[in-house]
Amino acid sequence: MAPTYNIAMVSDFFFPQPGGVESHIYQLSTKLMDRGHKVIIITHAYEGRTGVRYLTNGLKVYHVPFLVIYRSASFPTVFSFFPIFRNIVLRERIDIVHGHASLSSMCHEAILHARTMGLRTVFTDHSLFGFADAASILTNKLLKFTLSDVDHVICVSHTCKENTVLRASLDPLMVSVIPNAVVAENFRPLYNPAETSSSATHSFGQNPPPARQLGPHDMITIVVISRLFYNKGTDLLTAAIPRILENHPNTRFIIAGSGPKSIDLEQMIEQNVLQDRVEMLGPVRHEEVRDVMVRGHIYLHPSLTEAFGTVIVEAASCGLYVVCTQVGGIPEVLPSHMTVFAKPEEDDLVAATGKAIAALRANKVRTELFHEQVKTMYSWTNVAIRTERVYNGISGAISEGEFYGYDAANAASWSATRGRSGVQSFALIDRLKRYYGCGIWAGKLFCLCVIVDYLIFLFLELWFPREKIDICPDWPRKTIDNRKEMGKDGLR
Amino acid sequence: MPEHDGLMRVFWPTDLPRSDLRGVVVGWKNSAFDVFALAILEEVESRNVESALKIGTLLRNASHPVSRIYELCGQSSMYILGLANTPDSVEVDPSWIHVATGTGSQVPSVTCASASSIQVVLFERPLPGRMQYISLNPIALALGDKHGIHRLDFPDSGEEDDEREERRKKETKRQLVEKLKQHSIVKRVPSAKEKALAKIVNQINWAWELEKLLQKNVSRIGTRPKRSLSVSERVVESATTMRDMMMMWMWDLVIVYILPVIKRIFVLGLMCHRVTAEMMLLILEWRARPKYAALKDISATAQQVEIRLQQFCYWPMQYVTLRLRKNDWESVTTSHPDYIRFYNSLWLVANDVIIGIALGSYIIDNATWVADEISNLLTTYTVEALQSSISWLMGWPAGLKLNTELAAFLGDLFLWVIDYWSSCIEALRPALPHIIWVIGFSSFAGASMPIALFSDLLSILTIHIYSFYLASARIYHWQLNILISLFHLFRGKKHNVLRNRIDSCDYDLDQLLVGTILFTLLFFLLPTVVVFYLNFAIARMAIISIKAVFDTMLSCLNHFPLFALMLRVKDPGRLPGGIRFELRDTQELRLAAHDPPKGHHSTSVIYLQSIPLNFRAMFHQYFQMGNRIRKHYLSPRVVLCLLTGKFVPPLNRKNLYSLQYSMLPARRAGVMEMWDAVNSLPATMRRAAPASLPVLPNGRKLPSIYSGGRARGYG
Amino acid sequence: MAPPSGLHQSAIPSDFETSVPQPQPGLVRSSTAPVNGALRSHRSDPYHLAPEDAFVLPYSPRRLGGFESGGNGSGHESRPRRMGRKDDTSRSRSRRQKRFQKLLWVKQSYPDNYTDQATFLENLQRNPRVQPYDFWPLVADSTVIVQHVCSVIIFVVCFVGIFQERVSPVSIVGWGSFATFLGWLLWDWWVTQEEDQGDAADGIARKGSMRAFREFGPPRRQSSGLGHPTLGTSNVSISSMSNFPSAASSSSNLVQDQHLQRPVIFGHYNGVSSTSLLNPDHAFSRSASSLHSATSQASAAAPARSSAGEEIPGTSRYRTTSPTRGGRVRLSTIKSAILIYSTLLGLSPILKSLTRSTSSDSIWAMSFWLLAINIFFFDYSGSWVGVHKIPVASLSTNAALMASTVLASRLPSTGQVFSLTLFSIEVFGLFPVFRRYARHRSWRYHVALTVLLVLGAGGGVGMIMGDERSWPWKNGLLGMLVGCLISALAMGGCSWWLIGLQKYKNEIYGPWDPARPIIISRRHWDDDQ
Amino acid sequence: MLTTAPHLYIRRPSPTTAEFTVTTCPPLTLPLRLALACVHAARLSLLLAIILLLYGRWTASPSFLGAEHIRALGSPVSLLLAGDFPSLVLSVLQLLHASAAGQVCARAATHLLPSWWGLAVLAGALLYATRALGRIHTTESLLVLRGLGIQTASSYSSYNANATGSSSGSSGGSCVVGGGGGRWWGRIFGGGGAGGNAKETRFIPTEKIQDVLINEAFRGFEVRYYLVVVVEGEEELVVVFPRLLPRRRIVEAVWRGVRGCLYEPDSSGVAAAGGGMGIGIGGGDVKSVDEKR
């Protein structure tokens, strides 16, 4: 039986705030709990969500009261989080701290403190950053600080992995690529609403659902669901929509989402009179996304940067033909027969959409098969299993050679700077060595921070002794049959 | 009985007379195993008592209808609960209890055959004659029917946003509570015992009177040897009856002939007073538009007069309601808060008048001195201090970089107005002693009147500061806005009204030039305006705080819970603030109870006390008012207004005085209603007249209570 | 920001604008391919990840660190890829078991943290669009800054002169106004010339911007048609007389694959090629911030401009037909001049006493900082956006004007105040426009102007430095000499230094960078509404 | 030494009635009693010192009546007999003032505190000190009566650390909010019955009890367990043992006890079973509790 762990997911972003990271954390935790681990979530207090809460499946959420600055990213106070974090970790008997989202300062602090307390740490990066502008440079420094002493890093796509390796100058072997997933049951196409998940084992060919034929003059609906920010490519969208509608008579748009750019869209609609062909729904809740998607045939995703792009997987799972820009990790996500790629240019986008529409009209695309295929590609259980392997690796449950692959021997060339992460020792001097390599001035500064952190840790051990902290009872753990899961997902 | 878990609950009055005689315990049976002992009838046979209970001899010649007892105690009849001081040899109904009330032990030892464990709840019977009673939730000193009207009254006041915000918070909290309801594991239906608590409270309140009644009728029970009276006793008896006859005759005489005349005159007087009051109230509350402020919102005096009139209109109604309680049992506790409120307001007015007389006489005696003082204060603080400060600002004060020309201009302007004003004050000075005298004279209507007048006088005499404040605030605000927009222009941006954000915009050259020069100009002129503005703003704030002090004094004078405090000191039993239990140590009970406890019996003795109302609840409304004032003046909103030169509104009088209305009904009774009420009173008196006859012997029976009750009541 | 970097950033785009036209964010990684329908079908853009990329054998496997500039590599690499894509499906299916693919949707037999030496970081590129500066163009570009600094110095000199009552304010403002008038006449003459060409070139514009007409009907014809041809021709003219250093510099500053660019530009229809230059938003953002935020700035600025469109009658006014246009322009110019004149006349008495209570030192410090702001935030990019769209860098102009106002308020008499303020308006408000236009007009004027300014500034400083009683012209000449020396040293030294700094440049680009979208039709629905 | 960690007493005379008391008061041993006595002596002397300071300041002030005038009032004993309390107080104070300590205080008052302001500040500070000293032990109790309801009581004076159960139940043990103030008022109005027992009780009838559950909340730098009663129709939860917040062991014991004692056996089975759930269902309404903090 595989060992089970007590895992604490730390991030600034969690429900009730909607978003990709949030649902990722929730789904992953749920699946991990199904696999018999104990998972708690530490995030900051939201409006109307404070204190300690239990979600329905026994997932425990600590909403730590913290000051929130921009877009629910909490104010970076390096050390003030430590006492309460230590208290939670001790009372929950945590042995693995798993931070999410490189923009959440809470996660970084948690990883730092966890290392000080001698826990294993994992970090999951959900976003891409450039190297040019000042903000990203600052973020990269911070990330380097955190990740120079982390046990393992998980990225959602290969592009994300490259980016993270470069940003934090990491050993590529301690960075795993584990994609996001979708709950395929929640994103069923319209035509077979009552479909059991038992058919997940179908191969593509056998008993396919009836193909829906599309006449040459049927109305083709193009769906766009995204927050209307600049980096979501709303400008492209705004520029492309009138031309697409001009080129293809029987098409209409459904746009869901809100943001600063929505005004531009409305302006565009009013200017060349398109009110009857473009429908703006405004913000939709995550559970309504499917209902919006199934109203359309094509999903248009004009994003300018995207680490993974869960939404296009959801769209494909809903049986939509996806037109997306060829940026970031998007090309890795879906096979080419589900997508039409476009360069982030107005003309190219228009042309790609035209190609997609033409293909649909010619009924060349078997969109009704997408659901099954996507279901076999992405499942949270699979993600959970792979994450579990990472946990096993860092906690030494599986041997290092196995974990770091066959070339662990010659990989020494890769890990020039730091020791093997699997055996990363908690000795203060080793950690200081690692931090010192972060830069000329930054290295010294980081070492200072670490030393202060360690002193605080000693003081806390003295002031709030461990035996004064109540151990809280575990939610009854689930036990699963590992082999079945393995067989089901057919992974290694 | 489904919820029978062998728990026997016995309510036992501690102050039942203790004796070693055998007796029958009579009381209520709320449910099986939940009994309430009323009295021990001594030396009677249980079956006689049973029959007597059936035919109701025990409640003979009650002073008031008996049915009311049953309806209020929630039981249809009394039962025999058990026997007292009987040897265990006597075989009885197993559900009966055996009580041993030895004179030695203050706690009776209760045993029951069919109960595995027993709760003995001891309590002390409140004396209805003294208007003592117990209740589960604290007595309400304020009328409760405000809030609906409170909302309707001023939707457009300054408090509005705060209140809305409060309401929002309440709403979210309510939703949380709703969510919490879904969390409870098992929803259990409360057992009969648990539902009985309200009834039991009533029964406790009734216990004293009922016990007295029962004891009075004990003599009628059973075959007691009725020995004939001796002669002497007969003589005495006839004499007493004779005297009673005489008194009753005279009493009738008074009631029939003299009383109606007096009452009629009194009622007529009341009515015409009421009509005049109505008219004055109409004047006071008249407002041109619903938005506009009525007279009573503007001046404190009008407010004060209005309150007094409202009280005068309310008293007769209160009195009528209080009179009605005379022809009911004294244990009916519904009207006690009314009683307290009524006499509280009476007392307050009396105190007010007393203090007022002292104050008024003092003021009248040395009106001239007071007038001089006031005029000196006025000249020193509202004229000279202002002048000196302005002239100080005119020469560069404290190294502030003021613009000389502008400072000179503004200073001269204000100085000129002040000179004009001071000349007006001079003109007014000779009349001041008369005004003071009038104020002093007005204080014979109560000390609150001169205070209100003073606060009005203050606001009238400092009207120039107010206007200065307004003017400087306007200028400052205007200049600030222009500066902000010009600063946007300076940065080459402009505020986009449509999207409510700052957009970048390329201006024409000439726009830029003129805008920049103006910006520089205003920027360097700003400090001058700021210091002047601040000067007047501070003065304004000082005046507002003084007026706030006045208002607080007024509200203290008008609504200090004086009577309640007195009661709290004298007889805490009359202000119930809830109940509390105390678990008594049972081993001492065991020692006290001489019989060794039976094995399966585990008895727990609980002591029930009524906790008097705490002081926080009494002064609750003052806390409320304090909160209001704090929220209005110490809020960041006000600071923001001060900084941006917006007009800081004074606290809306209605909000401040909502405390004061809490003693008055939301809408006062119309003239006709009052007429009906006052006329309904004599009829009730008639009905009450025969009923009030046995009150006398009754009163003779317990003189202490009645004298006590009356004296404390009306004294 | 530090002066050298500022100089660097502002120097590059300035050359793009005046030089060969090209699609707007012309250097974006994702758009180095022409925006051409014929070329779009095959992938000529190697930096994109595509699903197929996982199957084909990469041309030159790269490691961390071992990179040459991605630009040249791209050209060779695109070919074998294109061939390899013919039969990708069959081959990939055969290899699916053993080959590692950079895909997420295939279940592959490698651990999650497996790092494929071949495909890992294959798309990383370093300094893809660093172009080596060469010396003379940089010097030529730095003349703009020298001009501005010199004009500021001249202004300060004038103030000191007035303040020490060595020069009479009236003479200064008189000469200033006279020069301004001359400048205006010259400018007006140029304007009329250009508009004649513009009307002549209207026909070309018709053909060029067909799509614009289709989208936005006849009433907008003039507006959308007007802009391009003038610029189209001007571009042609400039690039034709490319023996001048300016053109040389601009062409040198182009992207490495010019051979690819040029046919595109001229093969491409005129509307598109010139709109990107015409778009004032881009001009602004270019000058204001680095290349990355270009489009963001533009999109932010777009609505503002659109809403500003109605307010300023000028824009709509210029769209009328040519003959009466010039007259109206002159009328409006005269009107605004009169307006400013009277405003100053009215305000100067107040200005005189404005800062009397403030101590002189603080005033000096304040004006110094304001002038510094002016120098640093000045719009050095000679971005040419049409005759009547005078791009005024608001912040710098306002700062200079405020400084002059503050300085003027130190002067004792109203006349001095008035004249100084007026002079400052001429120097900071109008003169830059003239300079820019002169530079756009011909390089010769530009150089002459620069020399004049340097001489004047040096001489003025010399005269101020020197004491009164001795003969001032000696000092003046000395000052001119020194000034010329200093400016020459500065221009040469700074350029040399900047070139020296180039080798420390290390930019990393990859698929993770947010793409910069190419949006063509924005201008249409931005400008006219 | 004076206090211990909060620990639990249970008095349960019958299975349907139980009182859970959590107190910081260790069992009263002789040294403890001595220490308490010392503390009280210190407080008394402090109070006396304050009074003497004020009095000394007063004697120094011109508005003083004059010592001989006060002596003329007569001996304290006679005044006591006469029942003239103000002058009695005066004379006693005068006597004390005449004593050595009084002299010291007076000198201190006249020299150290030239202004009334300083004096007032000092007096306030000392008073506060005495009151703060007053709270040595905190005792909070929970009384469960089947069929009646739950009553929480918390008292935190040094007298009745162990008097919660056996305080003589005469009428009107005053219930006043607020710590020391409560004690003073209790002295005055409580009829002396409760012996200065500032006891804050709250009775909740059974049918208004919606649920009794254990919850967690952030407090300062830690997460604490606490027992909470959900009252129907109220938006604030009633926290049991609000000041002590005992540890999980105690809280759970009390919770099980309440479940078993309050309800009839059929539902108490559910209570025993719902151990984890009792903790689990707490999540709902941490907000109001947090606001309580």
Side-chain angles (χ1 to χ4, degrees), chain A residues 259-313:
Chain A
K261 291 285 188 178
S262 61
I263 304 159
D264 295 345
L265 269 173
E266 283 155 9
Q267 243 178 10
M268 181 273 297
I269 292 172
E270 288 159 8
Q271 197 171 25
N272 22 39
V273 184
L274 294 173
Q275 282 84 351
D276 54 344
R277 299 182 64 183
V278 181
E279 180 182 1
M280 291 196 66
L281 300 179
V284 293
R285 296 209 310 282
H286 187 259
E287 53 268 29
E288 298 166 351
V289 165
R290 185 252 174 189
D291 307 338
V292 178
M293 278 179 173
V294 294
R295 289 170 59 186
H297 307 81
I298 294 178
Y299 181 80
L300 180 58
H301 191 66
S303 177
L304 298 186
T305 172
E306 197 72 66
F308 180 79
T310 317
V311 64
I312 65 174
V313 185

Side-chain angles (χ1 to χ4, degrees), chain D residues 18-38:
Chain D
E19 183 178 52
F20 306 90
T21 309
V22 175
T23 176
T24 59
C25 170
L28 283 175
T29 57
L30 183 60
L32 180 62
R33 290 176 192 281
L34 288 183
L36 286 178
C38 298

